[in-house]
Amino acid sequence: MSDTTKKKALDLSIMKRVFHFVKPYRSFFIASLTLAIIMAIFAPVRPYLIQLTVNKSIHNNLPVPHWIQQIIFLKNSNDIFQFIINITIFQIIFLFVESAVRFAFTFITSWLGQNVVKDLRVTVYEKIVSLNLSQFDKTPIGTLTTRTINDIESINDIFSDGLIPIVADLLTIIITLATMIWMDWRVTLVSLVPFPFLIVATYYFKESVNKSFMKVRNAVAALNAFVQEHLTGMHIVQAFAAEKRELAKFNVINKEHRNANIKAIFAYSVFFPVVELVLAISTGLLVWWVADKKLDAGLLVAFILYLNQIFRPLRVIADKFNVIQMGMIAAERVFKVLDNENVLVESPQSTVNSQQHLEPIKGQISFDKVWFAYNEEHYVLKDISFDVKAGETVALVGHTGSGKTSIISLLNRLYHIQKGTICIDDINIEDYPIEKLRSSIGVVLQDVFLFSGSVLDNITLRNPLISKQAAIDACKMIDLHDFIMQLPGDYDYNVMERGSTLSLGQRQLISFARALLYNPAILILDEATSSIDTESELLIQKAIDTLIADRTSIVIAHRLSTIRKANKIIVLDKGEIKEIGNHESLLALGGFYSKLHEMSYDKQPVIG
């Protein structure tokens, strides 16, 4: 199979998938096609009426077709004045009807495109939020943003500016040509002598613009990814005085975008004058033939209008073909996201369990010979086994990169494990409905993420089932309420994007309130007191004591005070468990934990 054949087969497959989203709006699609046919039928009417008017004005005794007399309510065909009045009134009415049909066509096709885009965007977003976290480790956020916003918008153009308008234009050209041939096939052939040249020019224009637009689309994706990444990490860029270096990188990507657009602009700059030149030659040949054969003046006027009806769509039809092509390219990229199999799949047992309404999770945790790698070549966790009783507090200790965060990421199924099993209350975590599992595990991270919105929104995560009073009660339990009441607007205070208007300690306390409000059976604290000043630490330590009371807790902590209170300490190094015990027993052992303790004790009261 040739590359061209494969490409056509792929385009057909993609188009079928796009039209799958049209099914709920099938009646509107049929209506748009019906209106396209009506517009094409209407196209030759007015030029013909103008031809008849011109000829009747010159030759008063020219007979008027009976059906014309009927539709314009003309009683005496020899009354030239009455004829002109009646046919003019009819043309005005016809023009309004034609305009109304064109308005309905434009509105329905655009409405159809927007609704297809709405449904497709929801489907893509649902897919993105179901992807495993590893997918986001490998894919730039800007790329997924481009797929969800820009590429899907290009699919809308298939309907509003591409496929259906092309059908309407082609039908108009065909019916207009048929009318011209019916009226005088010789004049038609003479006036269309330059037409093949225009067809060739249109083909090369389409190919040239298509290549340019593909480069533009790739450049847009690169720009989105670059800007998204650098806006997120702007504090790093500025902290290391890297503005000029990053600006130089941006300029390179931006120039590629500009150059691709300029190539497309050049193609347009050549093509449109070519269309006008061919139209002028066709008009000249038409005038010469009509004058030479001494044909009716009305025929000349009508054919000039017909030529414009043919050439006007041809000016944009190549562009519309490119719109379809770009929409197909965008659709292919979007469907690659939808076809991504790296998703969290509910097991058959989890479906059964969801129907049987499992008992609330108590918090007993068991890791049994767990092996995990972010990629298949390098394991970051090796043969991890430990048990946590319900209500116990366990501290994970180890150097950076020892596997602490990986363990807690696996517990709520953010990643798939390669070997072993993880159980909660003696049930494999893969057999829990994912919503039940994650709603039973509260997570407080070192890098707190707050959404743009009010303090209340960030505490409740806009859950309509949680009342404001419940949020206030949770804040009072961790001594956060008084601080919030001092803010302008108290619980309605806008924290801005990522909580930039709050200190690290304040953001941390809000995340604690969020975790407490959801009352999880298992609590995970990932270095939640790291990089906190002493005053904030006292508040946060009290909040931690409140949070971990009567619930299973896994704590990744640097602070000695948190570690000493743990029922069990698991010491990790390079993805392996080195020691397990409480603070005193591990110190008495004089092993790995003891060395970590001595190293940190000499510097500051931290460990890990």
Side-chain angles (χ1 to χ4, degrees):
M1 185 182 293
S2 65
D3 292 341
T4 304
T5 306
K6 289 180 181 179
K7 186 177 184 303
K8 288 181 179 179
L10 177 62
D11 286 348
L12 182 60
S13 173
I14 292 172
M15 186 62 76
K16 285 181 180 178
R17 294 188 67 177
V18 170
F19 270 83
H20 172 75
F21 290 90
V22 179
K23 284 184 178 179
Y25 314 103
R26 186 180 303 165
S27 58
F28 290 92
F29 179 72
I30 294 172
S32 65
L33 289 179
T34 303
L35 290 171
I37 295 171
I38 293 173
M39 286 194 305
I41 295 172
F42 280 1
V45 174
R46 283 193 296 118
Y48 175 73
L49 295 177
I50 292 172
Q51 174 191 357
L52 193 62
T53 304
V54 172
N55 286 341
K56 184 67 175 175
S57 301
I58 297 173
H59 307 289
N60 188 26
N61 59 349
L62 186 74
V64 178
H66 181 69
W67 65 274
I68 292 291
Q69 295 183 48
Q70 295 293 320
I71 65 173
I72 67 173
F73 302 102
L74 183 66
K75 296 179 180 178
N76 183 7
S77 63
N78 293 322
D79 188 346
I80 183 64
F81 180 77
Q82 189 63 45
F83 171 79
I84 292 175
I85 292 295
N86 286 18
I87 204 166
T88 301
I89 292 173
F90 176 80
Q91 287 199 67
I92 292 172
I93 295 172
F94 184 81
L95 180 62
F96 276 105
V97 172
E98 189 178 24
S99 299
V101 171
R102 191 169 297 278
F103 164 78
F105 172 78
T106 303
F107 179 80
I108 289 175
T109 52
S110 298
W111 184 93
L112 176 65
Q114 288 297 331
N115 277 276
V116 168
V117 161
K118 180 205 70 173
D119 294 347
L120 184 56
R121 189 168 282 141
V122 169
T123 303
V124 170
Y125 187 77
E126 286 178 342
K127 182 70 174 189
I128 288 175
V129 298
S130 72
L131 292 174
N132 277 319
L133 206 60
S134 59
Q135 192 63 37
F136 300 95
D137 297 336
K138 297 181 288 186
T139 307
I141 300 301
T143 300
L144 290 176
T145 302
T146 302
R147 300 292 175 267
T148 311
I149 307 298
N150 301 66
D151 286 338
I152 292 181
E153 198 60 41
S154 295
I155 297 174
N156 168 51
D157 294 338
I158 292 178
F159 299 94
S160 60
D161 295 320
L163 182 64
I164 302 176
I166 282 179
V167 171
D169 288 342
L170 289 176
L171 285 173
T172 299
I173 291 172
I174 292 169
I175 291 179
T176 301
L177 279 172
T179 305
M180 292 170 67
I181 293 170
W182 170 71
M183 292 177 66
D184 194 318
W185 64 271
R186 295 180 182 85
V187 176
T188 303
L189 291 179
V190 169
S191 60
L192 294 181
V193 166
F195 200 71
F197 177 75
L198 180 61
I199 298 298
V200 173
T202 301
Y203 173 78
Y204 281 106
F205 167 75
K206 180 180 76 71
E207 292 299 310
S208 176
V209 173
N210 184 31
K211 291 177 182 178
S212 299
F213 278 174
M214 288 181 66
K215 292 179 180 178
V216 169
R217 184 65 60 187
N218 291 332
V220 167
L223 279 172
N224 281 342
F226 185 91
V227 172
Q228 173 81 27
E229 182 179 33
H230 284 72
L231 287 179
T232 304
M234 186 56 67
H235 61 291
I236 300 297
V237 174
Q238 294 182 352
F240 287 88
E243 294 92 339
K244 290 183 179 179
R245 292 194 300 274
E246 299 307 318
L247 180 60
K249 295 178 185 177
F250 178 81
N251 280 333
V252 171
I253 301 174
N254 200 31
K255 284 179 181 178
E256 292 176 358
H257 181 263
R258 179 204 62 188
N259 293 340
N261 273 296
I262 287 176
K263 288 181 180 179
I265 293 169
F266 178 78
Y268 280 99
S269 301
V270 172
F271 179 69
F272 286 157
V274 167
V275 175
E276 294 298 327
L277 179 63
V278 174
L279 175 58
I281 294 172
S282 294
T283 304
L285 290 171
L286 171 64
V287 172
W288 166 74
W289 183 266
V290 171
D292 184 64
K293 301 300 180 181
K294 298 180 182 179
L295 301 177
D296 292 334
L299 184 69
L300 174 63
V301 173
F303 266 67
I304 289 175
L305 294 174
Y306 286 140
L307 285 176
N308 276 281
Q309 285 185 344
I310 293 173
F311 280 83
R312 183 179 60 200
L314 283 174
R315 290 188 186 100
V316 295
I317 201 166
D319 199 23
K320 289 178 179 177
F321 271 116
N322 282 320
V323 167
I324 291 180
Q325 189 61 39
M326 293 310 301
M328 297 295 285
I329 293 170
E332 183 180 1
R333 291 172 174 173
V334 169
F335 288 135
K336 281 183 179 178
V337 176
L338 293 179
D339 293 339
N340 193 327
E341 297 299 329
N342 190 11
V343 295
L344 187 64
V345 180
E346 298 273 19
S347 69
Q349 185 59 43
S350 70
T351 305
V352 173
N353 290 341
S354 65
Q355 296 171 347
Q356 293 179 348
H357 303 292
L358 290 172
E359 294 182 2
I361 289 177
K362 298 181 178 64
Q364 179 184 337
I365 300 171
S366 173
F367 276 62
D368 183 23
K369 299 179 180 179
V370 172
W371 290 71
F372 169 70
Y374 291 101
N375 59 64
E376 298 296 333
E377 298 177 359
H378 305 287
Y379 280 97
V380 294
L381 294 179
K382 307 165 188 175
D383 199 27
I384 299 294
S385 297
F386 65 86
D387 295 306
V388 181
K389 295 179 181 178
E392 276 191 337
T393 297
V394 174
L396 301 180
V397 176
H399 292 297
T400 300
S402 59
K404 305 185 296 295
T405 302
S406 297
I407 286 177
I408 63 174
S409 296
L410 296 180
L411 188 60
N412 53 13
R413 292 191 65 192
L414 294 179
Y415 296 92
H416 288 300
I417 61 175
Q418 280 76 20
K419 303 177 187 177
T421 56
I422 302 174
C423 295
I424 295 179
D425 294 349
D426 296 323
I427 298 175
N428 194 314
I429 60 171
E430 295 186 1
D431 293 338
Y432 278 102
I434 192 63
E435 185 175 357
K436 178 176 180 61
L437 175 70
R438 290 180 177 171
S439 64
S440 301
I441 300 175
V443 181
V444 179
L445 302 175
Q446 176 186 358
D447 184 16
V448 180
F449 189 95
L450 297 183
F451 295 93
S452 178
S454 68
V455 172
L456 182 63
D457 288 341
N458 276 280
I459 294 174
T460 64
L461 294 179
R462 295 186 175 92
N463 188 336
L465 300 179
I466 299 177
S467 67
K468 181 176 181 179
Q469 186 57 49
I472 292 173
D473 292 341
C475 292
K476 286 180 177 179
M477 290 180 67
I478 58 173
D479 293 334
L480 180 60
H481 176 71
D482 291 340
F483 158 71
I484 294 176
M485 295 305 296
Q486 294 173 9
L487 296 172
D490 51 77
Y491 283 85
D492 293 323
Y493 175 70
N494 191 339
V495 302
M496 307 299 287
E497 187 175 1
R498 300 182 66 85
S500 57
T501 57
L502 302 177
S503 71
L504 182 58
Q506 292 162 348
R507 296 200 299 270
Q508 198 67 268
L509 286 170
I510 288 176
S511 70
F512 284 176
R514 180 193 295 167
L516 184 62
L517 186 61
Y518 278 80
N519 193 30
I522 300 171
L523 180 68
I524 294 173
L525 301 178
D526 185 0
E527 300 183 347
T529 57
S530 178
S531 305
I532 298 293
D533 58 83
T534 305
E535 183 179 355
S536 298
E537 182 190 354
L538 296 175
L539 286 173
I540 289 176
Q541 192 58 56
K542 182 178 179 181
I544 289 175
D545 293 340
T546 304
L547 280 171
I548 65 177
D550 301 323
R551 76 181 82 237
T552 305
S553 304
I554 298 179
V555 183
I556 297 176
H558 284 184
R559 306 290 179 177
L560 281 172
S561 55
T562 305
I563 295 173
R564 280 173 175 161
K565 295 178 182 178
N567 302 103
K568 186 183 297 182
I569 299 171
I570 300 174
V571 185
L572 296 162
D573 183 52
K574 297 179 180 179
E576 299 178 342
I577 294 179
K578 296 297 183 181
E579 297 169 348
I580 297 181
N582 58 30
H583 178 69
E584 290 76 14
S585 65
L586 291 177
L587 283 181
L589 191 62
F592 201 88
Y593 178 81
S594 178
K595 292 178 181 178
L596 285 174
H597 179 269
E598 291 174 3
M599 290 169 59
S600 62
Y601 184 77
D602 291 339
K603 299 176 183 178
Q604 53 183 341
V606 298
I607 190 167

